[in-house]
């Protein structure tokens, strides 16, 4: 006798990555961009406290960005993750969102950027659907495409500043538009 299991879930559940195929017809899928896993280094982690229905604009984010350089991953810690356990409906419906002008700012300031992540359920909000779609398209369909990591746990206070690498491992290696991932930040040590 044997057992057989079936797994069924939305590919944009929990901590997940959005690939260009999510919004760009003919865009690259998860397998194309991540394979079995990929390291993004250097990683910058920024603190920009926001909660509830708060748009994050280029003017909000610009002064916090590192000097133009080779940052390949940027994570934004709003602190809204605290609401996940105590107010799941609010966390999923009324949360900070990213303005559609942010991707252009990031491409200009950080030309090596390939992945952008947030500690909110999405970069778009159900209260601002048009802006959310435009922001997804700006990240994913622009050149070069910037993948989006959503619903990250960035609660560890040691996750601040620079000196990190980001490792992203998809659950499945398929040509999908998104997939849950394991995302790990590793502090890079200086010297031998």
């Amino acid at each position: 006798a044997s057992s057989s299991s079936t797994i069924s879930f939305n590919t944009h559940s929990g901590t997940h990555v959005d690939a260009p195929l999510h919004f760009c017809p003919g865009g690259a899928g998860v397998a194309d961009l991540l394979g079995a896993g990929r390291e993004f280094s250097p990683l910058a982690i920024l603190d920009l406290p926001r909660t509830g229905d708060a748009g994050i604009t280029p003017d909000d984010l610009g002064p916090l960005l590192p000097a133009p350089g080779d940052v390949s991953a940027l994570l934004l810690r709003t602190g809204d993750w605290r609401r996940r356990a105590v107010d799941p409906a609010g966390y999923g419906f009324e949360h900070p969102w990213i303005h559609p002008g942010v991707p252009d700012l990031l491409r200009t300031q950080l030309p090596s950027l390939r992945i952008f992540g947030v500690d909110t359920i999405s970069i778009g909000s159900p209260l601002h659907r048009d802006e959310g779609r435009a922001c997804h398209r700006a990240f994913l369909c622009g050149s070069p495409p910037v993948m989006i990591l959503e619903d990250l746990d960035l609660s560890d206070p040691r996750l601040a500043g620079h000196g990190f690498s980001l490792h992203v491992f998809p659950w499945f290696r398929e040509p999908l538009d998104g997939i849950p991932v394991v995302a790990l930040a590793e502090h890079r040590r200086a010297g031998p």
Side-chain angles (χ1 to χ4, degrees), residues 103-189:
D104 286 340
L105 168 70
L106 296 180
R107 274 197 189 84
T108 300
Q109 289 292 112
L110 307 172
S112 297
L113 188 70
R114 296 299 174 263
I115 194 160
F116 173 79
V118 292
D119 64 351
T120 60
I121 198 165
S122 176
I123 63 166
S125 165
L127 300 175
H128 306 276
R129 289 207 184 273
D130 290 341
E131 292 88 346
R133 290 181 184 112
C135 191
H136 274 85
R137 280 191 295 276
F139 272 117
L140 300 172
C141 304
S143 181
V146 176
M147 291 180 290
I148 304 165
L149 269 175
E150 297 171 318
D151 206 6
L152 288 164
D153 179 354
L154 300 176
S155 60
D156 191 319
R158 295 173 292 180
L159 293 174
H162 310 283
F164 292 92
S165 293
L166 176 67
H167 301 270
V168 180
F169 303 98
W171 284 16
F172 300 106
R173 292 188 314 180
E174 300 294 332
L176 300 168
D177 61 295
I179 195 71
V181 297
V182 174
L184 304 169
E186 175 185 32
H187 194 268
R188 294 180 298 148
R189 307 215 188 289

Side-chain angles (χ1 to χ4, degrees), residues 54-110:
I56 296 172
T57 68
D59 289 340
D60 297 326
L61 196 54
L64 302 175
L65 292 178
D70 65 349
V71 170
S72 66
L74 178 68
L75 303 182
L76 183 60
R77 185 163 52 179
T78 67
D80 194 61
W81 57 267
R82 292 178 183 96
R83 294 176 49 210
R84 190 179 228 286
V86 296
D87 182 14
Y91 178 78
F93 184 74
E94 187 177 337
H95 56 80
W97 51 279
I98 307 298
H99 184 276
V102 166
D104 286 340
L105 168 70
L106 296 180
R107 274 197 189 84
T108 300
Q109 289 292 112
L110 307 172

